[in-house]
Amino acid sequence: MAIQILRDLRGLRVHVVHPPDSERTKLVEHLRRIGCMVEMQWPVPECWQEGADIVLLAIEHDMRTEMQRLLKSDVNRRPTLIAVVSYEDPSTLQLVLEVGAVAVIERPIRPFGLLTNITIARSLWMERREADKRVRKLERKLAGIQRIQKAKSILMDGQGLSEADAYESIRRQAMSKRLSMDDMASAIIHANELLQYRAKGD
């Protein structure tokens, strides 16, 4: 993956959210020298720019509210985030932690270390994204198992079936209706909730 990240650096869309000053000019020049496609913006936008692979965000204390608003916007579109800082004090570090940056670039901007920071940040971001995908997949699987277990309990209580027979009943119904076991379990749970609701209404 590391080799692929290095190959992909040229052509990455980098969004520089930084006040228009000499530091931003130097940063943009270095990024373009690396081969990145750079867009600039200030003040902090309300949402992530569509198509941005990396955002370099200047950590400015008077922009805390705007940064927090940006972080709450469309989590699924969130790119690799690198903080650009001038100070290494507790309040600045607190802001860096709040924005969830995966790397930090110090001002004054220097060419040395920029490529390394971008590469490491991109690698960490991709690993985090893959880990999040695995977690969501496991959560969906666990939720499905829990639904099947609940559907089995409904059939066991309602029809006096054993656990094995209840499972087999769900499996047969799922096959006959061409549904997944999870979808069949959801249908059984939903039907049972409707019956209970109607019973309360009577």
Side-chain angles (χ1 to χ4, degrees), residues 4 9 24 29 34 48 50-51 64 71 92 111 172 176:
Q4 188 60 46
L9 283 176
R24 186 174 83 173
E29 286 175 355
I34 291 169
W48 303 111
E50 189 171 354
R64 182 189 291 267
L71 294 170
T92 299
R172 282 198 309 270
S176 67

mmCIF file of all heavy atoms in Angstrom, residues 4 9 24 29 34 48 50-51 64 71 92 111 172 176:
data_model
loop_
_atom_site.group_PDB
_atom_site.id
_atom_site.type_symbol
_atom_site.label_atom_id
_atom_site.label_comp_id
_atom_site.label_asym_id
_atom_site.label_seq_id
_atom_site.Cartn_x
_atom_site.Cartn_y
_atom_site.Cartn_z
ATOM 1 N N GLN A 4 1.963 2.318 -3.438
ATOM 2 C CA GLN A 4 0.835 2.877 -4.184
ATOM 3 C C GLN A 4 0.540 4.310 -3.741
ATOM 4 O O GLN A 4 0.230 5.170 -4.569
ATOM 5 C CB GLN A 4 -0.412 2.005 -3.987
ATOM 6 C CG GLN A 4 -1.590 2.392 -4.878
ATOM 7 C CD GLN A 4 -1.257 2.290 -6.348
ATOM 8 O OE1 GLN A 4 -0.678 1.317 -6.811
ATOM 9 N NE2 GLN A 4 -1.621 3.327 -7.099
ATOM 10 N N LEU A 9 0.664 10.238 -5.127
ATOM 11 C CA LEU A 9 0.849 11.601 -4.634
ATOM 12 C C LEU A 9 0.718 12.626 -5.753
ATOM 13 O O LEU A 9 0.103 13.671 -5.589
ATOM 14 C CB LEU A 9 2.218 11.750 -3.958
ATOM 15 C CG LEU A 9 2.335 11.170 -2.542
ATOM 16 C CD1 LEU A 9 3.753 11.311 -2.039
ATOM 17 C CD2 LEU A 9 1.359 11.857 -1.594
ATOM 18 N N ARG A 24 1.071 30.531 3.264
ATOM 19 C CA ARG A 24 0.231 29.771 2.332
ATOM 20 C C ARG A 24 0.883 29.702 0.953
ATOM 21 O O ARG A 24 0.855 28.648 0.306
ATOM 22 C CB ARG A 24 -1.168 30.387 2.224
ATOM 23 C CG ARG A 24 -2.104 29.527 1.385
ATOM 24 C CD ARG A 24 -3.525 30.040 1.384
ATOM 25 N NE ARG A 24 -3.718 31.121 0.402
ATOM 26 C CZ ARG A 24 -4.909 31.645 0.118
ATOM 27 N NH1 ARG A 24 -6.005 31.217 0.751
ATOM 28 N NH2 ARG A 24 -5.013 32.618 -0.774
ATOM 29 N N GLU A 29 3.310 26.354 -3.158
ATOM 30 C CA GLU A 29 4.434 26.135 -4.082
ATOM 31 C C GLU A 29 5.057 24.759 -3.873
ATOM 32 O O GLU A 29 5.344 24.040 -4.837
ATOM 33 C CB GLU A 29 5.493 27.225 -3.885
ATOM 34 C CG GLU A 29 5.100 28.574 -4.454
ATOM 35 C CD GLU A 29 6.121 29.650 -4.124
ATOM 36 O OE1 GLU A 29 7.086 29.359 -3.372
ATOM 37 O OE2 GLU A 29 5.940 30.795 -4.606
ATOM 38 N N ILE A 34 5.593 18.967 -5.650
ATOM 39 C CA ILE A 34 5.415 17.523 -5.450
ATOM 40 C C ILE A 34 4.567 16.922 -6.557
ATOM 41 O O ILE A 34 4.727 15.766 -6.932
ATOM 42 C CB ILE A 34 4.759 17.259 -4.067
ATOM 43 C CG1 ILE A 34 5.732 17.609 -2.934
ATOM 44 C CG2 ILE A 34 4.315 15.799 -3.935
ATOM 45 C CD1 ILE A 34 5.090 17.637 -1.563
ATOM 46 N N TRP A 48 -16.859 19.969 3.650
ATOM 47 C CA TRP A 48 -15.694 19.483 2.925
ATOM 48 C C TRP A 48 -15.872 19.725 1.433
ATOM 49 O O TRP A 48 -16.951 19.536 0.888
ATOM 50 C CB TRP A 48 -15.497 17.985 3.161
ATOM 51 C CG TRP A 48 -15.351 17.614 4.596
ATOM 52 C CD1 TRP A 48 -16.239 16.910 5.350
ATOM 53 C CD2 TRP A 48 -14.262 17.928 5.471
ATOM 54 N NE1 TRP A 48 -15.777 16.772 6.633
ATOM 55 C CE2 TRP A 48 -14.562 17.376 6.740
ATOM 56 C CE3 TRP A 48 -13.064 18.623 5.299
ATOM 57 C CZ2 TRP A 48 -13.703 17.504 7.821
ATOM 58 C CZ3 TRP A 48 -12.200 18.743 6.383
ATOM 59 C CH2 TRP A 48 -12.525 18.187 7.628
ATOM 60 N N GLU A 50 -15.904 18.927 -2.292
ATOM 61 C CA GLU A 50 -16.123 17.675 -3.019
ATOM 62 C C GLU A 50 -14.885 17.330 -3.835
ATOM 63 O O GLU A 50 -14.320 18.160 -4.543
ATOM 64 C CB GLU A 50 -17.334 17.814 -3.943
ATOM 65 C CG GLU A 50 -17.756 16.501 -4.571
ATOM 66 C CD GLU A 50 -19.080 16.610 -5.314
ATOM 67 O OE1 GLU A 50 -19.728 17.672 -5.242
ATOM 68 O OE2 GLU A 50 -19.451 15.633 -5.969
ATOM 69 N N GLY A 51 -14.460 16.070 -3.718
ATOM 70 C CA GLY A 51 -13.326 15.588 -4.499
ATOM 71 C C GLY A 51 -11.968 15.810 -3.878
ATOM 72 O O GLY A 51 -10.954 15.353 -4.415
ATOM 73 N N ARG A 64 -12.249 28.397 15.845
ATOM 74 C CA ARG A 64 -12.646 27.137 16.482
ATOM 75 C C ARG A 64 -14.078 26.743 16.116
ATOM 76 O O ARG A 64 -14.339 25.594 15.754
ATOM 77 C CB ARG A 64 -12.521 27.243 18.005
ATOM 78 C CG ARG A 64 -12.878 25.937 18.730
ATOM 79 C CD ARG A 64 -12.957 26.162 20.238
ATOM 80 N NE ARG A 64 -11.657 26.419 20.808
ATOM 81 C CZ ARG A 64 -10.867 25.482 21.323
ATOM 82 N NH1 ARG A 64 -11.260 24.216 21.317
ATOM 83 N NH2 ARG A 64 -9.706 25.802 21.842
ATOM 84 N N LEU A 71 -16.143 19.955 10.833
ATOM 85 C CA LEU A 71 -15.949 18.562 11.234
ATOM 86 C C LEU A 71 -17.266 17.805 11.346
ATOM 87 O O LEU A 71 -17.303 16.588 11.185
ATOM 88 C CB LEU A 71 -15.201 18.496 12.566
ATOM 89 C CG LEU A 71 -13.766 19.012 12.509
ATOM 90 C CD1 LEU A 71 -13.196 19.130 13.894
ATOM 91 C CD2 LEU A 71 -12.912 18.106 11.650
ATOM 92 N N THR A 92 -3.322 24.891 21.400
ATOM 93 C CA THR A 92 -3.201 24.531 19.980
ATOM 94 C C THR A 92 -3.293 23.018 19.807
ATOM 95 O O THR A 92 -3.983 22.524 18.914
ATOM 96 C CB THR A 92 -1.858 25.043 19.407
ATOM 97 O OG1 THR A 92 -1.817 26.457 19.513
ATOM 98 C CG2 THR A 92 -1.720 24.644 17.946
ATOM 99 N N PRO A 111 10.226 23.019 3.061
ATOM 100 C CA PRO A 111 10.026 21.892 2.136
ATOM 101 C C PRO A 111 10.309 20.545 2.791
ATOM 102 O O PRO A 111 9.594 19.579 2.571
ATOM 103 C CB PRO A 111 11.019 22.162 0.999
ATOM 104 C CG PRO A 111 11.358 23.607 1.105
ATOM 105 C CD PRO A 111 11.246 23.956 2.566
ATOM 106 N N ARG A 172 -35.713 -22.121 6.014
ATOM 107 C CA ARG A 172 -36.610 -22.589 4.943
ATOM 108 C C ARG A 172 -37.431 -21.433 4.378
ATOM 109 O O ARG A 172 -37.596 -21.308 3.161
ATOM 110 C CB ARG A 172 -37.552 -23.675 5.473
ATOM 111 C CG ARG A 172 -36.916 -25.053 5.602
ATOM 112 C CD ARG A 172 -37.989 -26.132 5.690
ATOM 113 N NE ARG A 172 -38.998 -25.843 6.707
ATOM 114 C CZ ARG A 172 -38.922 -26.222 7.970
ATOM 115 N NH1 ARG A 172 -37.860 -26.895 8.387
ATOM 116 N NH2 ARG A 172 -39.884 -25.917 8.827
ATOM 117 N N SER A 176 -37.383 -20.056 0.523
ATOM 118 C CA SER A 176 -38.602 -20.063 -0.311
ATOM 119 C C SER A 176 -38.950 -18.660 -0.802
ATOM 120 O O SER A 176 -39.488 -18.484 -1.897
ATOM 121 C CB SER A 176 -39.778 -20.649 0.473
ATOM 122 O OG SER A 176 -40.138 -19.798 1.549
#
